[in-house]
Amino acid sequence: MNILILGATGFIGSAVTRRLAEEGHQVTGLGREPARAALKMPQVRWLKADLAGMTRSVDWQTALDGQQAVVNCAGALQDGLADDLTATQEKAMLALYEAARDRELLIVQISADTGGTGRDLPFLDTKRRADGALAASGVRHVILRPALVLGRNAHGGSALLRALAAFPLAIPLAYADSPVTTVALDDVAGAASAAIGGALPSGSDLSLGGDEGLTLKDLVLLHRNWLGLPPAPVIAVPPMAARPVTWLADLAGWLGWRSPLRSTALAVMAGGVEVRRQPGTDQRLSSAAETLAAAPSGVQDLWFARLYLLKAPIIVTLALFWLVSGLAPFLAFEAARSHFANFLPGRAAGAMVAATCLADVALGLAVLFRPWARRALIGMLVLTLAYLLAATFAEPALWLDPLGPLVKVVPSILLALTALAILDER
């Protein structure tokens, strides 16, 4: 069967894409940045597109040509620089349904439980309206509603679970007693495969989740054991104390960073993550313990868990370092100019100070914006090496200066390299 996967580069989408391709289907993956996914899955045809720009039925004609089914794995947690919930989760889907009416298409929608706590949040509200429109469209469809998805890889909420589990000494946790239902990523991919194969009749609306009765605390401690770390006490954090973290995470979202600590995630977790199992359904789904046991952790998982929450402080530290280094010389401009005066005439030395300071400030600001972060980090490395080479030739004695103005730059190089190493999110 010819199948189009929306959000094929994402956490769920990549697993569904791989599963259907391995089963012999002709799969086309659609994503905003599919270059890396194309290297990992060369057997899949890839389309580069942004659903936020596909809000008219005509926008879907090329993507749907020759397709027999569409699996929608795309989604976003919250509005931000990189995401438009209404466009991506509602308008684009309505346009898809309209384009699909005159085609013999099956649409498999990976949605969520939209009727529980936080149902009026834009994240769930847009999904609910899209699900309702699909059910009323007359297009053949299956809706799958997974709970919190766990897999060998981690992204978003599952990545945060690992990071919290790896906290040293004690684990700070808000809403520790909130119930959390999980489902294995393989089970979600299996359900999508079953829908494609006709095992789930058109019109099915199926919740996917176990019935273990875990709390958030239980799940974090289960991950800690999976990572091979000794037991640690859980410190209950009052929800109000966690609010400043969510405000900062929301701000980061408007800069393009998709943090799982944003206010939407906190609001959902306040009531827990549960699914309402339909009467009469017989699901054999892997438990959280079985899911983790099926893929034993390695040292790379421990590194990831420990580095995950350090990513934001590393980026902010680099931004502050470059902003301060760019602004400070203006407070002692003549002293800064004197370093260049040894080999440049007066005005040129002043211009060089101003130019390098402005470059530092520009890089310090740019690294805070996710779309520019990689180029900013590379710029930091190039400019730092240029500074070191120029200073070495102009004033080599600075390497022996007791205050270490050049030696202290080396840690900033290593920090920028670390940021580059952990920058990728998928």
Side-chain angles (χ1 to χ4, degrees):
M1 183 180 289
N2 295 331
I3 305 169
L4 175 66
I5 313 290
L6 310 182
T9 61
F11 177 52
I12 295 176
S14 59
V16 172
T17 300
R18 187 177 299 277
R19 172 72 175 258
L20 295 177
E22 289 175 349
E23 291 177 348
H25 297 287
Q26 300 301 310
V27 177
T28 298
L30 185 147
R32 283 188 282 194
E33 297 293 338
R36 180 168 296 177
L39 294 174
K40 291 195 267 187
M41 290 185 276
Q43 73 276 29
V44 174
R45 172 175 172 255
W46 292 94
L47 294 177
K48 182 176 181 178
D50 186 349
L51 291 182
M54 301 175 69
T55 56
R56 302 171 304 161
S57 61
V58 68
D59 298 326
W60 288 93
Q61 299 305 320
T62 300
L64 293 180
D65 281 346
Q67 304 296 338
Q68 297 166 284
V70 176
V71 183
N72 176 28
C73 304
L77 179 66
Q78 195 166 319
D79 283 326
L81 180 67
D83 298 301
D84 182 335
L85 285 183
T86 301
T88 301
Q89 296 191 165
E90 184 179 358
K91 291 182 179 179
M93 295 302 102
L94 298 182
L96 168 63
Y97 309 154
E98 183 179 346
R101 281 198 182 96
D102 297 328
R103 302 170 183 258
E104 290 298 318
L105 272 178
L106 168 67
I107 295 179
V108 180
Q109 182 101 310
I110 310 292
S111 186
D113 180 4
T114 60
T117 303
R119 67 188 310 272
D120 294 326
L121 292 167
F123 167 62
L124 294 176
D125 188 44
T126 52
K127 279 187 174 292
R128 181 172 57 253
R129 291 201 295 265
D131 294 345
L134 177 58
S137 68
V139 177
R140 291 191 302 132
H141 69 275
V142 172
I143 299 175
L144 302 174
R145 304 182 186 276
L148 179 63
V149 182
L150 302 180
R152 180 65 188 88
N153 297 322
H155 180 70
S158 56
L160 181 60
L161 284 174
R162 297 186 187 187
L164 291 170
F167 249 81
L169 303 179
I171 303 170
L173 209 57
Y175 300 115
D177 295 325
S178 290
V180 181
T181 303
T182 68
V183 61
L185 181 58
D186 287 346
D187 287 336
V188 178
S193 173
I196 291 294
L200 299 178
S202 178
S204 296
D205 190 327
L206 186 64
S207 295
L208 303 174
D211 52 4
E212 297 173 273
L214 295 176
T215 64
L216 179 59
K217 175 182 175 180
D218 296 331
L219 195 54
V220 170
L221 293 179
L222 188 63
H223 276 78
R224 188 173 181 88
N225 182 65
W226 177 73
L227 289 169
L229 295 173
V234 172
I235 299 175
V237 176
M240 286 301 296
R243 293 283 168 79
V245 175
T246 65
W247 294 335
L248 291 173
D250 285 351
L251 174 60
W254 289 107
L255 298 176
W257 303 91
R258 296 187 181 98
S259 170
L261 289 167
R262 284 173 286 177
S263 55
T264 294
L266 192 71
V268 171
M269 189 52 65
V273 179
E274 297 184 279
V275 295
R276 289 167 288 183
R277 299 281 293 273
Q278 292 89 343
T281 59
D282 184 19
Q283 296 173 292
R284 175 61 186 99
L285 302 175
S286 298
S287 67
E290 290 170 337
T291 301
L292 294 176
S297 69
V299 68
Q300 69 274 11
D301 298 297
L302 190 57
W303 283 19
F304 171 84
R306 286 173 169 167
L307 284 169
Y308 187 74
L309 291 180
L310 287 176
K311 183 174 180 177
I314 287 173
I315 295 295
V316 171
T317 298
L318 282 168
L320 291 175
F321 174 81
W322 281 81
L323 286 170
V324 170
S325 68
L327 295 173
F330 287 112
L331 303 177
F333 193 83
E334 285 304 314
R337 190 181 65 82
S338 66
H339 291 295
F340 293 98
N342 293 334
F343 54 92
L344 289 174
R347 286 191 174 182
M352 182 62 72
V353 171
T356 55
C357 287
L358 291 175
D360 289 0
V361 170
L363 289 173
L365 293 173
V367 78
L368 293 173
F369 287 84
R370 180 62 183 87
W372 302 346
R374 184 177 301 279
R375 282 170 286 182
L377 290 168
I378 293 172
M380 289 176 179
L381 291 170
V382 171
L383 201 55
T384 301
L385 292 175
Y387 289 162
L388 288 179
L389 287 173
T392 299
F393 285 112
E395 295 187 66
L398 287 175
W399 282 103
L400 301 177
D401 190 295
L403 295 178
L406 297 186
V407 174
K408 289 177 180 177
V409 174
V410 176
S412 75
I413 295 176
L414 296 177
L415 197 62
L417 287 171
T418 301
L420 271 174
I422 63 175
L423 190 62
D424 294 320
E425 297 172 348
R426 293 178 179 174

